[in-house]
Amino acid sequence: MAERDDALGRSAPVIEPGHTFATVTDKISSIVLTRPTSRGWFLGFGVAFALTMMMLFAISYLVVKGTGIWGINIPIGWGFAIVNFVWWIGIGHAGTLISAILLLLRQSWRNSINRFAEAMTLFAVAAAGIFPLIHTGRPWLAYWMFPYPNTMGYWPQFRSPLIWDVFAVSTYFTISLVFWFIGLVPDLATLRDRSENRFAKIIYGMLALGWRGSARHWHRYETAYLLLGGLATPLVLSVHTVVSFDFAIAIVPGWHTTIFPPYFVAGAIYSGFAMVMMLAIPIRKVYNLEDFITDRHLQNSAKVMLATGWIVAYGYGMEAFMGWYSGSSSDQFLLWNRLHGPYAPWYFALLICNIGIPQLLAFRKMRTSPLGLFLISLVVLVGMWLERFIIVVVSLHRDFLTSSWGMYYPTKWDWMTYIGTIGMFLAAIFLFVRILPMISIFEMRTLLPEAEVKE
Amino acid sequence: MMKDEQQIKSQGQDVCPGKKSQLKLEDVRAEIEKTSGPQYWRSLEELAGTPEFQEMLHREFPKGASEWLDSVSRRGFLRLMGASMALAGMTGCTKLPLEPIVPYVRQPEEVVPGRPMFYATAMTLSGYASPLLVESHLGRPTKVEGNPEHPASLGGTDVFAQASLLDLYDPDRSQTVTHLGDIRSWDRFVDGIRGPLTAQKALSGAGIRILTPTISSPTLAAQIKSLLSAYPQAKWHVYEPINRDNVIAGSQMAFGQPVETQYRLEGANVILSLDADFLYGGFPGATRYIRDYANRRNPDANINRLYVVESTPSATGVKAEHRLPLRASEIEGFAHALAGMVGVNAGGATLEGEQQKFLAGVAKDLQGNRGASVVMAGDHQSAAVHALAHAINAALGNVGKTVVYTDTVDANPVNQTESLRELVSDMHGGKVDLLLILSGNPAYDAPVDIGFADALEKTNVGMRVHVGLHNTETAALCHWHINEAHYLEAWGDTRAYDGSVCIVQPLIQPLYAGRSALEVVAFLGGQANANGYELVRGYWQKQHTAGDFDSFWRKSVHDGFVAGTAFAPKNVAMKGGNVPATNVEPGDIEINFRRDPSIYDGRFANNGWLQELPKPLTKLTWDNAALIGPAMADRLKLKTEDMVELDVRGRKVQSPIWIQAGHPDKSITVFLGYGRTRSGRAGSEVGFDMYRARTTTGLWFTNGVQIRKLGDTYKLASTQGYQTMETPTGERPLVQAATLEKYRDEPKFAKEGEPPTALTLYQPYDYKKEAYAWGMAIDMNRCTGCNNCIVACQAENNIAVVGKEQVVKGRHMHWLRVDVYYEGDRANPSAHFQPVPCMQCENAPCEVVCPVGATVHSTEGLNDMVYNRCIGTRYCSNNCPYKVRRFNFLLFQDWETPQYKMMRNPDVSIRSRGVMEKCTYCIQRINEHRIDAERADTLVKDGTLQTACQQSCPAEAIIFGNINDPNSKVSKLKSLDRNYSLLGELNTRPRTTYLAEIRNPNPEAEG
Amino acid sequence: MTVIHSHLHPHPTYGLMAEFDSAQDLIEAANRTREAGYRKIDAYSPFPIEGMAEAIGFHKNGVPLVVLIGGIVGGLAGYLLQYWVATMAYPVNIGGKPFHSWPAFIVVTFEMTILFAGLSAVFGMLALNGLPMPYHPVFNVPRFALASKDRFFLIVFASDPKYDAAVTRQFLEGFHPRSLSEVPS
């Protein structure tokens, strides 16, 4: 492996030298087992938890009063809810991408970040899943979208992209969950065998399913893991494609474009990696895991962001070009409206966040500076949110009939729900790093030179 | 100050009397006024937090008022009010009147549950009747329609008649007799008034004054006359804020006697309106005139030509081929000039430039159509303009052909302003002991300089009695208030614009045991507990001496009018001589006072349907604004929604600005009827009271107005923010319009851009195999933007009123809207009205995206909405290119108020929160007729099945029917060259199509 | 005689387990054990080792087949459900589209394929591995806890026909394991 790295001119190693099976195991598992819980953790978790409560309050009020508490109206039937849904789903793409696609590509550097990337994916998808549920006028009936004969023996309408969403998102969540859990099993066994605390031993023991590292098990395990990776790869690409169908299938100017699937997927990976960076950088600092999450990881992620950012930029360009080239008055107007309409400042902010600033990643200095990366990732996340806002709101607020144009102003409830989901997401992350190994121990072991066996 | 206390007292007394230091609604309003635009409602909410305010709420609304403290539920609070204000005795069950009322024969004689009955009756507005047919479900009136048998209606109505149903069930209606605000019984009133009456007997009624609105009812007039004969010294005064003094004065000037002018537009090739908005409800005979006008709008036959000279843009004005915006005071000059040109010996003034060109064009056109043209003058134009119009019509030989003179519909055609002034001076002179105010609300709407309210308060009139539907500002200043019966609750008669007598037949026993004005007058006249039925019947028995009275009576009540009572044309001789020019004091900026297109003079202020009805041009709801032209706005640096103070010769009022394209320069138009203080949940504290600046000298317009920008802004709720088809990237052909020439050269011009229907990947659904395929055609050449269809739809389909806050957010619920698009120069644009119901697309984009199949297609091609399957994703609305779908963002429907439960159409389900709704082509009517047809083993006969909008349309612009039947009217219309689909290029295949608008301009008058 | 005896009385032990320090030692030991004719053997390691399965003579692996079947079932279920609903159970005219709008049915079909295949991969693997299995004799060996950290174990099961407590112990000692322990059953 080392040679291959040099051949490809990669400088930083994926794991600092001097580690053994024992040290790797100790270092990672100690975070969960022995390390005392810091005050910082309690503080951070407390804040995140409070925000989660705020979200629950906002949702309860929504159920009591109705979606009218939000800023939506006719013609802007979709607002923050869908914007946030798409944003979160997008973020949720990095995890599976890293664990599945990089697995197939044999990118072993992924081993130290895939675990919490996957966890991040689960929590992001969970956050996303809230929105399609609560954005309906009668959330208590949202289950009618599931495939069973609801009122009067009528089934869901399978031509609707929303039904496709239901299948895509729930499949994605399920597969990501099992993928993540299966990856955890051997490490849970490690925790089982190493925890002194009896209670912990029992819990970890149950979760470990009695894993004992038998050669037969490892063999089937690896096959299954590889197949899952092979299945998750088209899945992850399909999910945001399907999400983009919500718009592409509709006839609304600005939605009805064929460029959407690829550029939504690219955007998803873009924001997903940004979120991974935003988590990885502080985590490796706080738990001094620089040995495992090295500059090499930061650099590679930065490169992925740079590349996907370019695809997204191309998407914007194509969108604009098609708008102009279509010759359709309403499409041309959409373009004009983005540039000169009431929401123009947001469109320019979007261009700066997604296309302008991230170009700094072209500089090695920036790719290797954790702080710089952190900030750029933040900018990208904001930019990707703005992109969805532009797509959803600005397309809807001025469509075909000039008589029916409108404006959208989010209310405090919109903001509370959105910020609340961020809180929920962080709270989950805090719990995760505290009770589960955030780096795949057994896969880290395989990266050590001792793991090599000569025939 | 005292007024305030009285209001608070009478508003709050029965809840907790004797509260000290109370917050007054005025203060609240002042508080809110301070805040600007977007903060407006938020401030209302913050304000709701203050203890005084809560205290006030509790004072006003006994139950549940505290639940209001929440930004979103202003309507919720309204509903709570409704629930708590409805009387305990108010239950869902109703009684038919005891007297024999006669159902309309097209319906079965006996009540069949689920089967509506129709009764002919009539509504009176400022003396003029709208002949009606009212639908009744098990004794509950549920829908007002025009009486197709009556020449003044021909099935059409105006918005006021359509919405009057809501007034009947208005929970804020006065429900008891009150004395000084305390609930009393009718008998107590009888006792109370006995003394004064006997006292007056001795004085032969010297101290009795009766103040009525314009009265055209023969029976009531006779009753008043007999009362006056019993008390010879008593006086009868008449006052309406929207009066026709100028019309009367004009005919006095021209003929030396008051006459009614009727127009026969079917015979008019050229129509010139001098500030007459004759195509909108409220203008006497408008319903009929719209039909006659529309019948002459067929570009393939005899299309007429309309010229309008007007002082404020109106629905009529924007329909005109040629429109000349002039300040109200300049129109007289124009009339003089025109008179001179058509050979009336009047001091023919001359005009310059555009105006002269216009004038020349009109004059030539009129002379080219002698006997086939009409010149009409608006009620608010000076007497001189009316006199000139008479003279011009005479000179053009129109009299007897397109213009007919008859006796006045008004039973007592006096100068109402003078009449009121006289009354007030008598009050000040201490000559009045017993004042009877029969409906009307003069304390609110009288000219300020007359000071009627002050007189009512300050002078020592021994006994003041007010009879009215609502406990109004006037009632608050009277000792006694008698709750009047609604016209759907009481017997009476009235006259339509053509003089024909309509019998007012009640459909329901008075909900609150109210009494009609007729009964009250009869009582004062000495007929104790006389009842309306006997009074009306008795009167007509006297009139109808020849022949069998019972069959005559039965026929009259059944038809809704007394045959042969229409006035015969009257030969009146012109006095001749020059028409003197009204001398106008110099002054820069002018102001026009106009009745509101929605709430008239303020009497409908508490009618939610009318308050939320978008006004024809501004599309404003829930407010009035000061209209100014673009040029003036630029000059004064004013923007729409800027608050200004208007100083009308010393009288100051505040109002937000609305920049109205086509408004004459140096002129402001304000609308009356708003700023009511004692109207009810919907009407109180809404808009700005312009009567405060209206004086007898400037009843309709005056100059010398100072306008001052106040700096703050005020949120206005307009349902159509963007009113042109022009976009920065080109014009959109939403309304296809052309001149007659272009249409003749290129008849199919409207169809360009429509894809070939054969162009499809897969086999389209075959609707031909069904018996019916429903479709609609809307002729935009006929549509005059009168708004009837909107209210009719609201009444028929139980559509909720959402309130200003929600309209501002863009959540109004109208299933059918009338879009207006301006075209051309902002200074004087033409405009197109486009009624937009659901298009019922065959390739409906909404259906494909619904995840739960809550909107699906019927075999007859209807785009059905299944409410109880809808989960409210709003995806369908996003994907609807026509944006006709409406969503219940909150619980908009009122589920508590018992009165509303009685009002609703039982055939249409009430939508709850969180579901989408939209136009159904009145599916309930379709089903009813289809089932009947199946029973009779036939097909639904073309024309018998009408949607609510179609039925109410006075212009017959909306035609609905079966497009599988090639001979149906709708099929024929759709086969015309003018027929086109809105956004046809999307290939949604709409079932609702439009007939392009064709105008017939006069090249010689081209500006 | 003894053979019969041996049949009547099963061995008291579950097997013999040798502990090694490195994957290299383990894999060599395993190979030689297999070559020595032992068949019922297994190896335990803290991470998957290339070639380990071959070393203990484990070849056939049912997981791929299970996944294939799962995928096919899921895909068929997805498409047929939609087809049945749209054309038989409750056919409705939706926006003028044909009842059998196959292009619109592709997405759900695809997702169902992935879902079923993925779940069968996971549960198929667990099932074939006989997991979850909270108790297993090897756990009775105290040092076995290190199998999930940095130690490597080779076991010869007592059920192996060639197994003989003394002989096998001697054979395993030949590898100089770090420790050698008898696993009680």
Side-chain angles (χ1 to χ4, degrees), chain A residues 28-318:
Chain A
I28 300 173
S29 57
S30 66
I31 296 170
V32 178
L33 295 176
T34 56
R35 220 169 196 274
T37 313
S38 68
R39 201 182 284 104
W41 187 93
F42 279 112
L43 185 68
F45 178 73
V47 172
F49 185 75
L51 291 177
T52 315
M53 290 301 110
M54 178 179 77
M55 175 192 78
L56 291 180
F57 171 68
I59 291 176
S60 319
Y61 190 70
L62 175 82
V63 174
V64 174
K65 281 291 166 201
T67 41
I69 67 171
W70 289 346
I72 47 177
N73 55 32
I74 308 290
I76 303 111
W78 286 352
F80 264 35
I82 301 300
V83 173
N84 301 339
F85 165 68
V86 180
W87 187 69
W88 276 120
I89 283 280
I91 289 171
H93 275 53
T96 320
L97 181 99
I98 292 168
S99 36
I101 298 183
L102 297 189
L103 175 76
L104 298 185
L105 299 176
R106 297 232 176 276
Q107 296 294 308
S108 49
W109 58 273
R110 73 182 257 292
N111 289 10
S112 58
I113 55 171
N114 68 332
R115 171 68 49 74
F116 74 76
E118 285 168 37
M120 185 274 285
T121 288
L122 286 175
F123 306 147
V125 175
I130 293 173
F131 288 103
L133 211 69
I134 64 170
H135 98 289
T136 60
R138 306 198 285 175
W140 50 92
L141 296 179
Y143 65 90
W144 285 357
M145 286 196 278
F146 291 119
Y148 84 104
N150 60 40
T151 42
M152 296 169 289
Y154 192 76
W155 288 71
Q157 205 278 95
F158 287 105
R159 295 168 190 83
S160 166
L162 286 185
I163 290 297
W164 305 348
D165 271 354
V166 171
F167 279 83
V169 173
S170 52
T171 302
Y172 185 51
F173 184 78
T174 318
I175 297 298
S176 308
L177 183 65
V178 292
F179 200 20
W180 175 72
F181 177 71
I182 288 306
L184 266 169
V185 166
D187 290 358
L188 287 165
T190 306
L191 295 181
R192 171 197 64 201
D193 299 340
R194 299 180 44 72
S195 58
E196 272 68 35
N197 174 326
R198 175 162 178 67
F199 174 72
K201 229 180 173 42
I202 291 171
I203 297 297
Y204 288 129
M206 289 198 210
L207 292 173
L209 309 172
W211 182 263
R212 50 189 191 275
S214 145
R216 288 179 170 74
H217 292 183
W218 277 125
H219 190 62
R220 296 199 185 93
Y221 180 93
E222 285 202 289
T223 319
Y225 202 67
L226 201 64
L227 286 169
L228 267 180
L231 290 165
T233 304
L235 176 62
V236 69
L237 295 180
S238 82
V239 172
H240 228 54
T241 303
V242 171
V243 170
S244 80
F245 285 165
D246 288 348
F247 307 103
I249 294 292
I251 66 175
V252 180
W255 285 11
H256 189 62
T257 47
T258 46
I259 188 81
F260 265 19
Y263 119 66
F264 263 57
V265 171
I269 298 164
Y270 196 25
S271 56
F273 266 87
M275 184 57 93
V276 171
M277 286 297 95
M278 286 199 63
L279 295 176
I281 289 165
I283 284 177
R284 76 173 202 157
K285 184 113 204 72
V286 172
Y287 294 101
N288 20 57
L289 295 170
E290 286 86 349
D291 291 1
F292 301 155
I293 305 174
T294 66
D295 294 355
R296 164 87 170 282
H297 296 98
L298 304 193
Q299 284 198 50
N300 289 354
S301 310
K303 287 171 185 163
V304 174
M305 281 167 67
L306 193 57
T308 47
W310 288 338
I311 302 177
V312 169
Y314 172 80
Y316 298 158
M318 250 322 142

Side-chain angles (χ1 to χ4, degrees), chain A residues 61-78 135-138 140-142 144-145 151-152 154 156-157 159-163 245-247 250-252 255 329-330 332-333 336 396 399-405 412, chain B residues 45 70 72-73 719-720 722 724-725 727-730 732 734 809-811 817 819 821 845 847-853 856 866-875 877-883 885-887 889-890 913-915 982-983 986:
Chain A
Y61 190 70
L62 175 82
V63 174
V64 174
K65 281 291 166 201
T67 41
I69 67 171
W70 289 346
I72 47 177
N73 55 32
I74 308 290
I76 303 111
W78 286 352
H135 98 289
T136 60
R138 306 198 285 175
W140 50 92
L141 296 179
W144 285 357
M145 286 196 278
T151 42
M152 296 169 289
Y154 192 76
Q157 205 278 95
R159 295 168 190 83
S160 166
L162 286 185
I163 290 297
F245 285 165
D246 288 348
F247 307 103
I251 66 175
V252 180
W255 285 11
S329 153
S330 43
Q332 289 176 342
F333 174 76
W336 180 93
L396 282 175
D399 69 347
F400 296 99
L401 293 193
T402 55
S403 67
S404 308
W405 288 1
K412 62 172 182 281
Chain B
E45 175 194 349
D70 157 5
V72 295
S73 64
T719 59
Q720 189 184 344
Y722 196 89
T724 149
M725 294 178 282
T727 73
T729 57
R732 301 186 181 179
L734 305 176
K809 288 198 169 116
R811 298 172 179 173
R817 62 175 194 267
D819 289 341
Y821 295 109
E847 292 174 1
V848 182
V849 297
C850 177
V852 290
V856 297
V866 189
Y867 304 126
N868 57 354
R869 200 185 285 158
C870 174
I871 61 173
T873 66
R874 303 180 297 287
Y875 200 173
S877 169
N878 291 346
N879 211 31
C880 172
Y882 310 96
K883 291 290 175 281
R885 291 177 158 268
R886 298 285 174 250
F887 187 66
F889 288 92
L890 299 164
R913 181 190 124 197
V915 303
L982 184 56
L983 299 177
L986 297 177

Side-chain angles (χ1 to χ4, degrees), chain B residues 706-728:
Chain B
Q706 308 295 328
I707 179 165
R708 187 166 65 84
K709 190 174 179 181
L710 290 175
D712 55 347
T713 64
Y714 176 86
K715 192 76 198 154
L716 289 169
S718 170
T719 59
Q720 189 184 344
Y722 196 89
Q723 298 191 320
T724 149
M725 294 178 282
E726 277 297 337
T727 73

Side-chain angles (χ1 to χ4, degrees), chain B residues 836-979:
Chain B
V836 186
C838 175
M839 296 290 133
Q840 311 284 352
C841 316
E842 285 183 4
N843 298 346
C846 51
E847 292 174 1
V848 182
V849 297
C850 177
V852 290
T855 180
V856 297
H857 234 66
S858 82
T859 54
E860 296 173 349
L862 294 184
N863 168 228
D864 294 340
M865 185 68 217
V866 189
Y867 304 126
N868 57 354
R869 200 185 285 158
C870 174
I871 61 173
T873 66
R874 303 180 297 287
Y875 200 173
C876 52
S877 169
N878 291 346
N879 211 31
C880 172
Y882 310 96
K883 291 290 175 281
V884 293
R885 291 177 158 268
R886 298 285 174 250
F887 187 66
N888 291 274
F889 288 92
L890 299 164
L891 188 58
F892 287 146
Q893 284 285 5
D894 179 332
W895 293 77
E896 285 86 8
T897 314
Q899 288 94 330
Y900 294 159
K901 291 176 184 166
M902 298 162 64
M903 174 183 71
R904 297 215 172 92
N905 179 353
D907 299 333
V908 177
S909 53
I910 313 296
R911 284 78 58 188
S912 188
R913 181 190 124 197
V915 303
M916 191 62 73
E917 58 182 75
K918 67 159 192 75
C919 160
T920 64
Y921 271 175
C922 287
I923 187 81
Q924 66 280 6
R925 293 187 175 205
I926 294 176
N927 289 336
E928 186 189 350
H929 283 78
R930 195 205 294 100
I931 292 164
D932 287 353
E934 277 166 14
R935 282 240 199 85
D937 193 21
T938 64
L939 288 181
V940 174
K941 199 164 142 296
D942 188 43
T944 56
L945 163 55
Q946 293 189 316
T947 62
C949 49
Q950 172 187 16
Q951 194 287 327
S952 76
C953 181
E956 285 183 324
I958 303 175
I959 297 300
F960 170 83
N962 178 8
I963 59 176
N964 272 356
D965 166 11
N967 301 319
S968 68
K969 195 163 176 213
V970 65
S971 302
K972 292 209 173 75
L973 288 175
K974 281 174 179 288
S975 68
L976 292 178
D977 289 342
R978 288 195 290 143
N979 181 68

Side-chain angles (χ1 to χ4, degrees), chain B residues 273-543:
Chain B
S273 153
L274 299 171
D275 226 357
D277 188 8
F278 68 95
L279 294 179
Y280 194 86
F283 185 94
T287 308
R288 173 58 186 267
Y289 293 156
I290 292 174
R291 172 71 58 91
D292 293 344
Y293 167 80
N295 284 342
R296 290 293 310 269
R297 294 306 290 176
N298 180 353
D300 305 320
N302 51 353
I303 186 165
N304 62 6
R305 181 177 293 150
L306 173 61
Y307 297 85
V308 172
V309 182
E310 61 181 355
S311 56
T312 189
S314 69
T316 310
V318 296
K319 285 297 286 185
E321 267 80 10
H322 299 286
R323 178 178 173 281
L324 178 64
L326 286 183
R327 299 160 71 196
S329 62
E330 297 163 352
I331 289 177
E332 190 176 318
F334 180 91
H336 267 289
L338 179 64
M341 293 182 76
V342 298
V344 177
N345 66 340
T350 50
L351 308 170
E352 296 79 34
E354 288 305 309
Q355 301 187 10
Q356 181 55 37
K357 198 166 190 327
F358 184 97
L359 175 66
V362 181
K364 192 151 180 289
D365 218 354
L366 286 171
Q367 279 162 317
N369 291 276
R370 307 181 66 83
S373 56
V374 170
V375 176
M376 25 173 114
D379 291 5
H380 37 265
Q381 271 305 328
S382 66
V385 173
H386 287 273
L388 287 164
H390 294 309
I392 295 168
N393 280 324
L396 292 171
N398 294 334
V399 179
K401 299 200 180 71
T402 57
V403 179
V404 173
Y405 298 113
T406 68
D407 296 332
T408 59
V409 165
D410 183 348
N412 184 10
V414 297
N415 182 313
Q416 302 189 348
T417 321
E418 288 318 310
S419 176
L420 186 68
R421 196 196 298 279
E422 189 187 335
L423 170 61
V424 170
S425 62
D426 282 2
M427 287 163 79
H428 283 294
K431 300 188 191 141
V432 185
D433 306 318
L434 172 53
L435 174 60
L436 173 67
I437 303 172
L438 278 183
S439 57
N441 189 9
Y444 162 74
D445 58 27
V448 269
D449 55 339
I450 287 182
F452 182 80
D454 289 2
L456 214 50
E457 265 176 57
K458 310 249 170 62
T459 63
N460 56 346
V461 177
M463 188 168 191
R464 304 186 291 268
V465 182
H466 173 262
V467 182
L469 282 175
H470 286 82
N471 193 315
T472 58
E473 293 84 348
T474 308
L477 299 177
C478 291
H479 302 100
W480 286 93
H481 164 73
I482 314 294
N483 58 315
E484 191 181 1
H486 189 265
Y487 79 89
L488 290 169
E489 296 173 330
W491 283 94
D493 53 9
T494 174
R495 284 186 189 276
Y497 83 103
D498 65 351
S500 59
V501 173
C502 304
I503 302 295
V504 180
Q505 176 179 220
L507 276 82
I508 187 170
Q509 277 288 64
L511 295 174
Y512 316 108
R515 278 178 170 64
S516 67
L518 186 56
E519 288 163 334
V520 175
V521 173
F523 161 74
L524 295 178
Q527 298 158 266
N529 55 46
N531 89 18
Y533 177 66
E534 284 146 16
L535 292 169
V536 179
R537 197 170 187 283
Y539 174 83
W540 285 102
Q541 198 139 26
K542 281 201 219 70
Q543 309 305 310

